[in-house]
Amino acid sequence: MRHEIMLIIAAVIILIIELSTGKDNKSMMIPAAVILFSLVTFIGFLPIETGKLFGGSYNTSDMIILMKNSLNIGVLIVIIQSAGWLKHSFENFDNSGGYFFIIISSLIGMDFMISSGDFLMFYIGLELTTIPIAALAAIEKMKRRSSEAGIKLILSAALSSGILLFGISILYATNGSLFFSSLSSDNMNSSLQLLAFIFVFTGVAFKISLVPFHLWTADVYEGAPVNVSSFLSSISKASAIFILIILLFTVFNSLISVWNTVLYFTAVITMTIGNLFAMRQQNMKRFLAFSSIAQAGFIPLGIIGGTQFGISAVIYFLLIYIFSNLGAFGVVSAISNASGKENMDEYNGLYKTNPKLSLVMMLSLFSLAGIPPVAGFFGKFFLFTAAAVQGYYILVFIAVVNATISLYYYLLVVKAMFINNSDSPIEYIKNDNYTKAGLLICVLGIIIIGFAGIIFEFIESASTGI
Amino acid sequence: MESGVSIQHFMVLSTLMFFIGVYGFLTRKNLITILLSVELILNSVNINFVAFNKFLYPENLGGHFFAMFVIAVAATEVSVAIAIIISLYRKLKMIDVENVNEMKY
Amino acid sequence: MENFLYTLIIPVILFFTFVFTGLFGNKFKPAVSGIICTASVLISAVISYWTAYQYYFIHGKVNGVYQIINVYKFEWLKFNETLSIDLGILLDPISVMMMVVITTVSLMVHIYSIGYMKGDSGYSRYFSFLSLFTFAMLGLVLSVNIFMTYMFWELVGISSYLLIGHYYNKPSAVSASKKAFIVTRFADLGFLIGILLLSAFAGTFDFNELTNPDGNAILQSASVTFMGLSAITWALILIFIGCAGKSAMFPLHIWLPDAMEGPTPVSALIHAATMVVAGVYLIARLFPLYVFTSPAALEVVAHVGAFTSLFAAIIACTQTDIKRVLAFSTISQIGYMMVSLGVSGYGAEEGLGYMASMFHLFTHAMFKALLFLGAGSIIHAIHTNEIYTMGNLRKYMPVTHITFLIACLAIAGIPPLSGFFSKDEILVAVIEKNIFLFGVQYLVAGITAFYMFRLYFSVFWNKDKKYEHDPHESPNVMLFVLIFLAACSALAGLIPFSQFVSSNGVPFSTQIHMNIAIPTIGIAVAGIILAFVLYKKESVSPDKIKNSLGLLYRSAYRKFYIDEVYIFVTKKIIFNLISVPVAWFDRHVVDNTMNGIAYTTNFVSEKIKYMQSGQLQQYAFIMVAGMILIFLLTLYLIIV
Amino acid sequence: MSETVFYILSGFILVFSILTVTSRKILRTAVYLLFVLLGTCGIYFAMDFNFLAAVQLTVYAGGIVVIIIFSIMLTSDLQDKLEAVQFRKIFFSLLAVLIGAVVCISTILNHNFPQVTDKVLDSSMRTIGLRLLSYNEGGFVLPFEIISILLLAAIIGSIMIAKRADSK
């Protein structure tokens, strides 16, 4: 419970700072939030007891703590990266207290969600991750797109949570319990339970943006402020995947043959559709949105078959994905804040003016594309291995083909930055220390996770708990 | 149970209401009316929870509390959605869902 | 045993050079990056010569057998007790040989580029990518583990992508770099899946264990079968697909001719001497596995190689772009190497084909690099690639002319130049195993001589063409490289290669087989004479034949009657009926298939874009409909 | 609950639900929704969930519907009718919804629900209050606390969006 308590304390402190400082004296907000959250992240790594609380509504295990720590690191990066955007305009800056509060409370929701032991906690955690973020997506009052993103996010999230709730209510009807542990001992074999599973799956798949529940993703990411998009695409998605794994392996473990089939098909179409759309995007945020959809399509490869190795592979992949995706979004955010440019052809010749930014971008994209020896390659490789060991050769083949296609569009960006020439490239951007630090953490993450084999072994030992 | 009302009755009622809500979500033009459809969906779920609690599992109050929390969450959802709709209205002077399509393809 | 730890410096120094010039290259004058990169390649070249000396002459041999030495090995990622990914350096006869080739050619290309790229806007970027490429290539050949090979394999692909696309303002260069990358990536799919299969059945990634003839990997892996072939055969064929992609074997060769859009020194480095032979090298590296577990996969290698070498040689006769001729010639020569590997056995004398293949790889690297750099020198002088706009260049560029001639003679297989010896060994090895393949290769030898001298005569002899400004000889720094490589091409054949390289590490000796060598020289000379007749003497230039054909009766009185019938047969029938259709097939069918795939993808993605219409309600509709569909689908699957 | 009461209430609910999603007068839709919520409230009362019915009345009918009506008055001209919906949209939506409803209802009707237990439901205020503050199994203090964070975050978010930008 320490993670959540620390986060709540941090959120309250931020509120106090927000209330106690005057309008013209807000400059301490950003450093305060960064220091506070670094502290929270650090404390999260201290050893902690695991077990059940609140009569089983709240669980922790080594793996859940690992997940929470990964989310903490990701949010830390997001908070650091947000500094540039918050300083960008007075209005944003004025909102910074509320911004940090909402980000942290959303993280509290995620922590409770992945720790939840019953559906009520799960549902409330899920809503806590989404509803405040929808407000953040719409925060840029001057931009129409921001409001559009907010309204699309909140309405489609409302629909999906309605569907999810309907599924939960049917589960309750058939099993009489809302606790994961007592549901998992039930042998689900009626078609009504199948229906409930599909409804619940839809609700969670919406958050992960698996096709065909993905359509909100691109519009919301494009319209929302970059940092909110990066939060949604990395942290929010990762937490939804964690809870999906937990649900599939506890509540629905008797339906394993069903969810294997469902995951099989969604994986195939998600990868393909994500790739086909990503190929033709010009706006970088939209491009990264579709790339994140395609990335999500690889995750079922680890879950399918339900092995422990697969779970470790998924967590490993997600950890790398968080760093790589935040790295890419960080560069997009730095450029967007400095020049307002978000289109791919405006990135032409970036290497000449901003070699460091372009190298970070290249590294992140290579990691997303899965080019060895960057970390992303191992993430994908372990996923492929996990599915191949289970005998899903055709799925692995499709996935490998899709990974290859994805390379094409990641390279389009690399080409724009390194090879294409431009008459008026983006001018040299002098980044502040926050941006630099945020990108540095991402780069270190990508490199260290890829080259330190011990991390995977650690994940593997932690994932026995599920 | 006092009479012939079975749990299936309630489920049919709530399912119909759920899909009426979905229909509204898919067809209404005004963003606020879409929000109303969402409320219908949530309400149908509440009926489910309460009825199951009453007729199938009266030994605990799980369904009852779930319904309560759903009401509370619905309230937050509405407040945020209304805030966004109003901010959109300030910019566009209309809240027609079909015009909320600046980003596409 | 001698500690070879210092070999670690060779790749590492290049990597740091890349990082340094990549990050800070724009901080100082372009020339500085050039000098830094060249110096670091020079250092690594010197160290690799020293390593080669130590390995071949002093420490490498134990009891008369060359040892496989793991200089350095670090366990990186561990799957289970046996399966792990390691990083390290492996020295054996072929890796040391490749190390020497790569550093030498790379050094030459670096020096040459100092002159060639002068004034280019991307000068320092170019050099930093060259370092990256050299680093990756060295990592590839020195790896201890097939997985490490794969990683560097990809890195090589990326750096060559960046280098081919160097002239970003030329759209053709950009699309060529994309094509090169995508085609090889698709081939790499095969490689990756092959590795996965191999690791599943052999239980290891380690080369030492994989290729140990008495090791578990070879003994265990033959048992599992899948669709009629053993699983290991599938794995090896898939790996061969990866090799075919990198080494431009039919039908994955299409990227190589287009890749000629890159700067010419890059072509010399990547597309002649190093990257394209990576496929050959990898098969040689896994050779015991191929020989002992899967002769069928070797058959595939041999036949694909033979077909490609003939196919590419025929196309080379029709090309008019000097670099494209050389590109097809490279494909054809790599086909030679593949054939030779494909027919080889295991052992000292048994493995003659293995040795010959490596030998040819070595000599080919020298003379093909020379040819490309010579072509670069010509292009540098007259700013065009078309051979019909060239002529009589020997007058203006004497050094280039002589060195180019040496290279042409070497590739044609004229003794005592290097190509003769390696080609002779290959033909000896092939005739022992398969007479049909020998016939093909023999024919290719003749065609090779023909198209090389067609090129040579058109460029250096013939009439003076109109040049915008007088062609001039290249700067000294480039000429030095040409002369150095010419010396190598001339003398490399005299190395007693079989003393150093053999399939099982046991040195053996070979001699020239006169009964093969003489007919080979004969067909090469015939090819040269044909080229001489067709392209040197203006009197029977192809244009004139047309006129004379209409007036056959008059020609009967002419001295050249025989000549002209001969020319008619070759030019009209062979050329038009075989070469042109083959080239057409290559251009249109093979190329278009690949383009078609890309087009279809684009088309589909254009068509489905309306799914993402920006309409919230449509999104919700798809979501609800998708959910219901998934439910019905699962329900159906459960009932059935 | 008697059968008659159920049928009357559910008929009431369904009719007004349909009106909510089809009426073209925007203010009326909100009023129809209010009726639906009142009908639901009646069902809760009939099932002895008095507390929940009260929550439904105050929070839903009293709070949510009122805020919705306010925002309707703020954003729409009450005289105007909403534009008619395209036929295509109605057709496809109706199709999907009908298929969905048929599939779901048929699945529900085919399911054998567990036998009704004879345990008595205790829904007195006292029990509810104790449960809400209990931290043992069957207690709801944790969600109760978390939802306060959700409410706070939502309020802060809404204020941030809806407040007028300072014209500085």
Side-chain angles (χ1 to χ4, degrees):
Chain A
M1 196 94 193
R2 191 200 293 148
H3 285 91
E4 291 82 0
I5 293 173
M6 292 306 299
L7 286 172
I8 293 171
I9 291 172
V12 170
I13 292 177
I14 281 177
L15 268 193
I16 291 171
I17 296 174
E18 164 78 20
L19 294 176
S20 59
T21 51
K23 236 187 166 107
D24 310 316
N25 193 18
K26 285 240 169 94
S27 53
M28 65 179 289
M29 185 50 94
I30 295 171
V34 170
I35 292 168
L36 209 56
F37 204 84
S38 317
L39 212 61
V40 170
T41 313
F42 174 72
I43 292 173
F45 278 99
L46 299 178
I48 188 170
E49 271 184 55
T50 58
K52 288 178 191 295
L53 279 174
F54 295 98
S57 322
Y58 182 91
N59 296 323
T60 49
S61 67
D62 284 342
M63 193 182 74
I64 289 174
I65 287 169
L66 178 72
M67 289 168 174
K68 286 181 182 168
N69 282 333
S70 339
L71 294 178
N72 269 352
I73 296 174
V75 173
L76 178 64
I77 299 172
V78 171
I79 284 182
I80 294 174
Q81 284 176 348
S82 313
W85 174 74
L86 289 171
K87 286 180 183 167
H88 178 57
S89 79
F90 178 79
E91 189 205 332
N92 294 343
F93 196 63
D94 197 32
N95 281 331
S96 52
Y99 174 84
F100 289 129
F101 180 80
I102 288 180
I103 290 273
I104 292 176
S105 54
S106 175
L107 180 62
I108 295 171
M110 290 171 196
D111 280 0
F112 276 116
M113 178 171 78
I114 57 184
S115 272
S116 58
D118 67 10
F119 270 111
L120 182 56
M121 284 298 299
F122 161 66
Y123 170 67
I124 293 175
L126 189 78
E127 292 296 343
L128 183 50
T129 59
T130 320
I131 296 176
I133 291 299
L136 277 196
I139 202 172
E140 288 191 284
K141 289 193 272 290
M142 292 304 139
K143 291 185 183 154
R144 174 182 171 179
R145 291 180 170 219
S146 178
S147 299
E148 284 197 8
I151 196 73
K152 278 182 178 167
L153 178 55
I154 190 135
L155 285 182
S156 40
L159 179 65
S160 87
S161 64
I163 291 173
L164 174 80
L165 278 176
F166 201 76
I168 294 174
S169 74
I170 295 176
L171 273 184
Y172 180 58
T174 53
N175 302 70
S177 174
L178 289 165
F179 283 93
F180 293 172
S181 50
S182 52
L183 283 167
S184 63
S185 52
D186 261 299
N187 186 20
M188 301 193 186
N189 47 18
S190 74
S191 50
L192 191 61
Q193 280 155 329
L194 189 68
L195 184 74
F197 163 67
I198 299 291
F199 275 54
V200 173
F201 178 77
T202 304
V204 183
F206 168 84
K207 292 279 183 291
I208 309 174
S209 52
L210 292 176
V211 177
F213 315 115
H214 69 291
L215 288 140
W216 59 280
T217 317
D219 294 4
V220 172
Y221 289 9
E222 186 183 348
V226 191
N227 301 304
V228 178
S229 305
S230 65
F231 182 83
L232 275 172
S233 75
S234 314
I235 319 291
S236 180
K237 184 176 275 197
S239 68
I241 290 163
F242 290 153
I243 190 66
L244 178 70
I245 293 174
I246 291 172
L247 286 180
L248 291 180
F249 278 74
T250 55
V251 179
F252 299 110
N253 62 359
S254 57
L255 285 174
I256 184 161
S257 62
V258 174
W259 55 257
N260 270 348
T261 323
V262 173
L263 284 179
Y264 194 110
F265 286 110
T266 44
V268 171
I269 48 173
T270 305
M271 287 184 274
T272 317
I273 298 275
N275 275 339
L276 286 175
F277 274 102
M279 271 165 52
R280 45 194 311 288
Q281 299 306 324
Q282 270 296 314
N283 181 291
M284 283 303 293
K285 280 152 81 181
R286 220 173 156 73
F287 166 81
L288 286 174
F290 282 112
S291 116
S292 82
I293 292 173
Q295 297 285 335
F298 291 108
I299 285 165
L301 266 75
I303 306 176
I304 210 163
T307 57
Q308 193 205 322
F309 178 78
I311 301 307
S312 334
V314 171
I315 293 173
Y316 186 63
F317 177 86
L318 281 176
L319 199 58
I320 296 164
Y321 170 77
I322 288 176
F323 281 112
S324 329
N325 209 36
L326 287 178
F329 267 110
V331 175
V332 172
S333 145
I335 292 172
S336 161
N337 288 333
S339 65
K341 292 180 175 173
E342 287 181 357
N343 268 351
M344 202 182 288
D345 45 14
E346 290 165 339
Y347 278 40
N348 286 352
L350 186 70
Y351 176 66
K352 279 204 178 132
T353 48
N354 295 291
K356 280 172 206 141
L357 278 184
S358 3
L359 283 174
V360 174
M361 187 75 167
M362 182 174 84
L363 193 67
S364 310
L365 291 178
F366 278 180
S367 180
L368 286 174
I371 295 176
V374 191
F377 171 71
F378 296 102
K380 283 215 175 78
F381 182 74
F382 288 143
L383 285 180
F384 295 164
T385 319
V389 168
Q390 296 293 305
Y392 292 98
Y393 293 120
I394 297 171
L395 182 62
V396 172
F397 177 74
I398 296 171
V400 177
V401 169
N402 268 302
T404 309
I405 294 173
S406 74
L407 204 62
Y408 166 76
Y409 54 76
Y410 289 120
L411 280 171
L412 282 183
V413 183
V414 175
K415 193 194 84 191
M417 294 187 305
F418 283 84
I419 297 180
N420 287 7
N421 208 5
S422 169
D423 298 330
S424 54
I426 294 166
E427 280 171 17
Y428 174 69
I429 297 169
K430 182 127 180 47
N431 287 313
D432 59 5
N433 291 331
Y434 292 114
T435 315
K436 282 182 188 160
L439 292 177
L440 189 68
I441 297 175
C442 295
V443 169
L444 287 179
I446 294 171
I447 292 173
I448 290 173
I449 298 174
F451 283 85
I454 190 161
I455 291 180
F456 185 71
E457 285 166 33
F458 175 71
I459 293 174
E460 219 174 357
S461 68
S463 69
T464 46
I466 201 152
Chain B
M1 204 180 323
E2 296 99 286
S3 68
V5 184
S6 72
I7 191 68
Q8 269 95 343
H9 284 81
F10 283 97
M11 287 197 80
V12 171
L13 167 67
S14 70
T15 311
L16 284 175
M17 197 169 159
F18 178 84
F19 279 102
I20 291 170
V22 172
Y23 172 79
F25 193 98
L26 296 180
T27 52
R28 308 288 346 224
K29 269 184 168 326
N30 187 300
L31 284 172
I32 293 180
T33 49
I34 292 180
L35 207 56
L36 295 182
S37 314
V38 172
E39 295 311 313
L40 279 183
I41 295 175
L42 295 179
N43 210 49
S44 76
V45 172
N46 279 353
I47 292 180
N48 259 355
F49 275 119
V50 172
F52 299 151
N53 200 167
K54 171 83 181 172
F55 292 112
L56 297 177
Y57 311 103
E59 61 273 15
N60 60 27
L61 283 172
H64 169 264
F65 276 103
F66 212 118
M68 251 174 66
F69 284 110
V70 170
I71 292 175
V73 171
T76 59
E77 220 161 49
V78 167
S79 73
V80 174
I82 293 273
I84 299 173
I85 291 173
I86 288 175
S87 119
L88 192 69
Y89 178 76
R90 285 201 190 129
K91 264 166 275 181
L92 300 185
K93 297 292 163 216
M94 60 87 224
I95 45 171
D96 190 337
V97 67
E98 285 173 9
N99 290 327
V100 185
N101 63 349
E102 197 173 278
M103 299 165 291
K104 56 186 157 199
Y105 305 140
Chain C
M1 193 179 286
E2 164 78 357
N3 185 355
F4 280 99
L5 210 56
Y6 53 82
T7 43
L8 210 55
I9 302 171
I10 302 173
V12 167
I13 190 176
L14 288 164
F15 180 70
F16 281 111
T17 314
F18 158 67
V19 172
F20 180 74
T21 50
L23 278 179
F24 308 110
N26 51 0
K27 292 275 195 306
F28 27 73
K29 275 189 201 156
V32 180
S33 325
I35 289 167
I36 292 174
C37 292
T38 314
S40 74
V41 178
L42 179 66
I43 294 170
S44 57
V46 169
I47 298 173
S48 60
Y49 295 152
W50 174 250
T51 312
Y53 171 72
Q54 292 282 324
Y55 182 81
Y56 285 125
F57 296 103
I58 300 184
H59 296 291
K61 233 183 323 192
V62 176
N63 300 331
V65 179
Y66 282 110
Q67 298 296 305
I68 298 173
I69 301 172
N70 281 317
V71 171
Y72 175 74
K73 194 154 145 188
F74 157 72
E75 190 175 77
W76 180 16
L77 289 172
K78 204 167 168 198
F79 288 86
N80 53 36
E81 266 52 51
T82 51
L83 200 60
S84 66
I85 300 176
D86 303 338
L87 288 182
I89 287 185
L90 176 143
L91 292 185
D92 75 343
I94 55 172
S95 71
V96 174
M97 185 272 288
M98 282 301 284
M99 189 165 81
V100 170
V101 169
I102 292 162
T103 49
T104 308
V105 176
S106 175
L107 176 64
M108 288 303 125
V109 166
H110 271 83
I111 296 172
Y112 184 91
S113 302
I114 293 177
Y116 189 85
M117 300 301 287
K118 190 164 254 165
D120 191 283
S121 59
Y123 192 84
S124 94
R125 182 184 54 167
Y126 170 84
F127 273 98
S128 92
F129 287 156
L130 268 190
S131 303
L132 175 67
F133 174 81
T134 315
F135 159 71
M137 196 63 214
L138 284 168
L140 196 163
V141 297
L142 294 176
S143 45
V144 288
N145 184 297
I146 192 164
F147 209 90
M148 182 179 162
T149 311
Y150 177 74
M151 286 180 347
F152 280 103
W153 185 272
E154 292 294 328
L155 195 58
V156 165
I158 294 161
S159 46
S160 83
Y161 166 81
L162 293 170
L163 281 169
I164 298 171
H166 182 77
Y167 292 131
Y168 43 74
N169 40 10
K170 265 164 76 182
S172 57
V174 173
S175 77
S177 63
K178 245 176 2 199
K179 189 171 179 179
F181 196 78
I182 289 168
V183 171
T184 48
R185 264 302 291 205
F186 264 99
D188 293 347
L189 276 184
F191 190 11
L192 183 58
I193 297 173
I195 292 177
L196 283 174
L197 275 178
L198 197 62
S199 66
F201 292 113
T204 177
F205 287 133
D206 198 279
F207 279 134
N208 287 341
E209 293 167 39
L210 276 177
T211 60
N212 182 358
D214 308 317
N216 277 336
I218 288 180
L219 297 179
Q220 281 175 359
S221 50
S223 54
V224 193
T225 59
F226 176 68
M227 280 172 64
L229 290 173
S230 69
I232 199 84
T233 306
W234 280 109
L236 291 175
I237 289 177
L238 283 167
I239 290 178
F240 173 65
I241 290 176
C243 297
K246 270 276 184 289
S247 289
M249 290 291 103
F250 181 88
L252 298 171
H253 66 282
I254 52 168
W255 63 271
L256 184 59
D258 289 11
M260 293 299 141
E261 296 289 347
T264 310
V266 168
S267 309
L269 178 62
I270 298 181
H271 307 123
T274 55
M275 186 181 88
V276 289
V277 295
V280 180
Y281 175 79
L282 185 68
I283 292 179
R285 162 71 57 242
L286 292 174
F287 191 67
L289 207 55
Y290 274 89
V291 166
F292 290 114
T293 63
S294 170
L298 265 190
E299 289 278 305
V300 173
V301 173
H303 285 92
V304 170
F307 179 75
T308 308
S309 83
L310 180 64
F311 182 83
I314 292 171
I315 295 171
C317 301
T318 67
Q319 298 299 315
T320 58
D321 178 319
I322 181 165
K323 287 179 73 181
R324 290 183 83 92
V325 175
L326 294 178
F328 279 106
S329 142
T330 306
I331 298 173
S332 168
Q333 297 297 312
I334 295 168
Y336 254 103
M337 301 170 204
M338 287 286 186
V339 174
S340 176
L341 272 181
V343 298
S344 177
Y346 189 77
E349 275 80 10
E350 284 289 300
L352 178 65
Y354 178 92
M355 187 287 288
S357 171
M358 290 296 108
F359 193 16
H360 197 60
L361 191 161
F362 182 76
T363 57
H364 175 258
M366 300 301 161
F367 60 68
K368 191 48 74 58
L370 174 56
L371 281 171
F372 268 109
L373 295 180
S377 168
I378 296 163
I379 294 165
H380 193 65
I382 60 173
H383 302 290
T384 171
N385 289 6
E386 281 299 312
I387 56 174
Y388 288 127
T389 59
M390 303 172 187
N392 207 18
L393 282 177
R394 69 179 191 287
K395 205 169 74 188
Y396 307 101
M397 314 178 72
V399 180
T400 308
H401 167 229
I402 298 297
T403 53
F404 204 84
L405 175 63
I406 291 172
C408 285
L409 289 169
I411 193 174
I414 303 297
L417 298 167
S418 59
F420 163 73
F421 295 96
S422 52
K423 206 174 270 187
D424 182 59
E425 302 288 359
I426 288 179
L427 290 170
V428 171
V430 175
I431 199 171
E432 284 172 2
K433 283 284 155 67
N434 190 328
I435 192 76
F436 168 72
L437 291 182
F438 172 78
V440 173
Q441 295 311 302
Y442 183 71
L443 185 63
V444 172
I447 303 176
T448 306
F450 169 73
Y451 67 69
M452 282 319 297
F453 277 86
R454 165 177 174 265
L455 182 66
Y456 167 75
F457 287 126
S458 321
V459 173
F460 289 102
W461 296 78
N462 245 332
K463 272 190 300 205
D464 235 342
K465 296 280 165 37
K466 273 192 191 121
Y467 302 112
E468 280 176 26
H469 49 86
D470 265 357
H472 54 88
E473 187 58 282
S474 301
N476 287 335
V477 61
M478 287 162 68
L479 294 182
F480 160 74
V481 170
L482 293 181
I483 293 167
F484 180 87
L485 282 174
C488 291
S489 315
L491 302 175
L494 303 176
I495 298 172
F497 212 73
S498 56
Q499 291 298 328
F500 302 116
V501 173
S502 71
S503 51
N504 60 355
V506 182
F508 63 106
S509 56
T510 50
Q511 67 276 350
I512 306 296
H513 294 68
M514 281 307 162
N515 52 344
I516 306 277
I518 290 170
T520 315
I521 298 168
I523 194 167
V525 171
I528 295 172
I529 290 171
L530 181 61
F532 177 78
V533 170
L534 282 176
Y535 295 99
K536 161 68 175 59
K537 284 192 169 179
E538 288 298 310
S539 52
V540 285
S541 80
D543 293 338
K544 277 206 169 177
I545 308 168
K546 274 185 201 147
N547 304 333
S548 48
L549 281 176
L551 307 162
L552 252 184
Y553 70 100
R554 248 195 279 159
S555 326
Y557 298 100
R558 287 209 185 163
K559 265 191 164 181
F560 287 124
Y561 179 74
I562 302 293
D563 256 1
E564 284 178 3
V565 168
Y566 186 55
I567 287 159
F568 172 76
V569 170
T570 53
K571 198 72 192 169
K572 280 282 166 191
I573 294 181
I574 295 181
F575 188 86
N576 282 352
L577 289 185
I578 299 176
S579 285
V580 171
V582 169
W584 182 89
F585 176 76
D586 184 56
R587 246 318 86 201
H588 292 86
V589 178
V590 184
D591 251 15
N592 279 352
T593 317
M594 296 293 177
N595 290 341
I597 294 170
Y599 174 78
T600 318
T601 327
N602 272 330
F603 181 77
V604 173
S605 105
E606 177 69 22
K607 281 291 151 193
I608 60 170
K609 79 174 184 187
Y610 297 103
M611 205 167 104
Q612 193 84 36
S613 62
Q615 296 288 352
L616 177 65
Q617 290 175 323
Q618 192 184 336
Y619 297 176
F621 176 81
I622 293 176
M623 191 165 142
V624 172
M627 182 183 77
I628 296 168
L629 267 181
I630 292 176
F631 175 64
L632 290 176
L633 184 80
T634 46
L635 205 59
Y636 172 79
L637 285 175
I638 284 174
I639 291 165
V640 168
Chain D
M1 188 195 306
S2 73
E3 215 165 323
T4 347
V5 175
F6 173 79
Y7 281 121
I8 291 172
L9 277 176
S10 56
F12 182 81
I13 289 173
L14 286 178
V15 167
F16 281 109
S17 300
I18 293 171
L19 284 174
T20 312
V21 300
T22 50
S23 165
R24 284 168 61 192
K25 291 261 190 170
I26 183 160
L27 194 59
R28 281 193 196 167
T29 58
V31 178
Y32 294 143
L33 178 73
L34 186 62
F35 289 150
V36 173
L37 297 176
L38 292 178
T40 320
C41 190
I43 287 190
Y44 297 162
F45 266 123
M47 284 194 287
D48 274 348
F49 285 110
N50 297 323
F51 180 68
L52 189 63
V55 170
Q56 173 94 356
L57 264 184
T58 50
V59 178
Y60 239 134
I64 297 180
V65 173
V66 168
I67 192 180
I68 286 177
I69 290 176
F70 274 145
S71 59
I72 288 175
M73 295 202 288
L74 198 64
T75 56
S76 309
D77 187 348
L78 298 179
Q79 305 306 314
D80 281 356
K81 269 182 150 187
L82 291 173
E83 275 176 72
V85 186
Q86 302 146 335
F87 174 72
R88 207 168 58 112
K89 206 166 176 177
I90 292 183
F91 176 77
F92 282 110
S93 309
L94 209 54
L95 194 70
V97 165
L98 282 180
I99 292 175
V102 167
V103 166
C104 289
I105 289 173
S106 64
T107 329
I108 287 165
L109 294 181
N110 283 328
H111 186 81
N112 291 322
F113 283 96
Q115 285 302 308
V116 178
T117 51
D118 43 5
K119 282 181 189 161
V120 186
L121 178 71
D122 176 12
S123 60
S124 67
M125 282 299 287
R126 183 186 153 74
T127 323
I128 291 170
L130 285 176
R131 283 295 176 79
L132 202 53
L133 293 177
S134 154
Y135 47 81
N136 294 319
E137 183 163 358
F140 292 91
V141 70
L142 186 62
F144 187 62
E145 292 301 325
I146 300 168
I147 209 147
S148 63
I149 303 172
L150 174 58
L151 285 168
L152 184 57
I155 290 168
I156 291 178
S158 310
I159 292 173
M160 270 160 56
I161 307 166
K163 74 176 176 194
R164 281 193 190 279
D166 289 337
S167 49
K168 274 197 184 176

